[in-house]
Amino acid sequence: MSTSELPASHAELMDGVYRWQRHFYDLTRKYYLLGRDRLISGLDVPADGTVLELGCGTGRNIVLAARRYPAARFFGLDISAEMLETASAAMIREGLSGRVALARGDATDFDAKALFSVENFDRIFVSYSLSMIPGWERTVSAALAALSPGGSLHVVDFGQQEALPRWFRTLLRGWLRKFHVEPRESLRDVLESESAKIGASLRFRTLYRGYAWLAVVGQRS
Ligand SMILES: C[S@@+](CC[C@H](N)C(=O)[O-])C[C@H]1O[C@@H](n2cnc3c(N)ncnc32)[C@H](O)[C@@H]1O
């Protein structure tokens, strides 16, 4: 996808949010983007498999997943050129450039073949990005459409803090709003209906009393 096809205002917003934050993003987010490592260990990537992260940010997840699944090839998509600059430096530093391809694009509407010369992926994951993507439901359907037969979509994101104290939820929500993050109340419903449409199974788990939600949509091969 060429830059001109990106939703410019959202791309600019994300670049604005991350222009400075990207330099200390990984250090700070490890304390509150919970469940990401659990998602990575649950990917269970097949040998020589292909893995796409939508909204890959600094590339932190791809680096960890690439270490865990050393025979797999990885692809990262993000709308922010700023984040991709950090991600690309991380791949070079980690010696992963030959096994990881990064591209700028919109996770609600992407052409994987044009961006990566790969049409379908064995695993696709979205980590704490659906809560920042306007029209995030389209990311779910685009991801499912890009799965290989037998592939799976893995999602981790903020839950609704169902079993946490009301004051905590109010504080967290106020703080997240400053970063343009909105936990998606209908995440489970959307995953349920999208997986039903393609006859896939859904595993949906609540982590840390609703702080986070972790879901896996598995396609039948
Ligand atoms: C909170 S960060 C999560 C980064 C990473 N997945 C992680 O777990 O650390 C959200 C990322 O989603 C990206 N993003 C937001 N909207 C997007 C869109 N429409 N398409 C692709 N990426 C998007 C942002 O630029 C940012 O890098």
Side-chain angles (χ1 to χ4, degrees), residues 7 10 14-15 18 25-26 29 33 36 53-61 77-80 83 105-108 125-134 139 156 181:
H10 184 58
M14 291 297 106
D15 271 342
Y18 290 116
Y25 179 95
D26 287 337
R29 268 44 172 203
L33 298 189
R36 294 183 296 172
E53 180 175 11
L54 296 173
C56 64
T58 60
R60 177 260 185 204
N61 298 324
L77 180 93
D78 205 284
I79 204 163
S80 162
M83 280 301 224
D106 178 4
T108 64
F125 68 97
V126 198
S127 162
Y128 284 95
S129 293
L130 290 181
S131 52
M132 285 190 98
I133 298 178
T139 296
V156 67
V181 175

Side-chain angles (χ1 to χ4, degrees), residues 57-160:
T58 60
R60 177 260 185 204
N61 298 324
I62 292 181
V63 166
L64 293 178
R67 284 189 200 143
R68 190 178 178 109
Y69 305 102
R73 278 188 303 144
F74 288 84
F75 303 85
L77 180 93
D78 205 284
I79 204 163
S80 162
E82 297 283 343
M83 280 301 224
L84 286 170
E85 200 174 314
T86 294
S88 150
M91 299 314 150
I92 293 167
R93 199 172 52 242
E94 298 287 331
L96 288 169
S97 305
R99 208 147 64 80
V100 177
L102 301 171
R104 192 173 190 204
D106 178 4
T108 64
D109 180 17
F110 58 93
D111 180 345
K113 184 128 174 66
L115 293 169
F116 301 117
S117 308
V118 175
E119 219 157 344
N120 298 105
F121 304 86
D122 298 302
R123 302 289 180 265
I124 299 181
F125 68 97
V126 198
S127 162
Y128 284 95
S129 293
L130 290 181
S131 52
M132 285 190 98
I133 298 178
W136 60 274
E137 298 90 338
R138 282 182 288 131
T139 296
V140 172
S141 42
L144 292 176
L147 282 178
S148 300
S152 50
L153 167 66
H154 302 243
V155 174
V156 67
D157 216 312
F158 292 105
Q160 294 292 299

Side-chain angles (χ1 to χ4, degrees), residues 13-14 17 131-133 175-182:
L13 178 70
M14 291 297 106
V17 168
S131 52
M132 285 190 98
I133 298 178
W175 190 61
L176 292 177
R177 264 195 298 276
K178 292 188 200 299
F179 297 95
H180 308 278
V181 175
E182 189 189 327

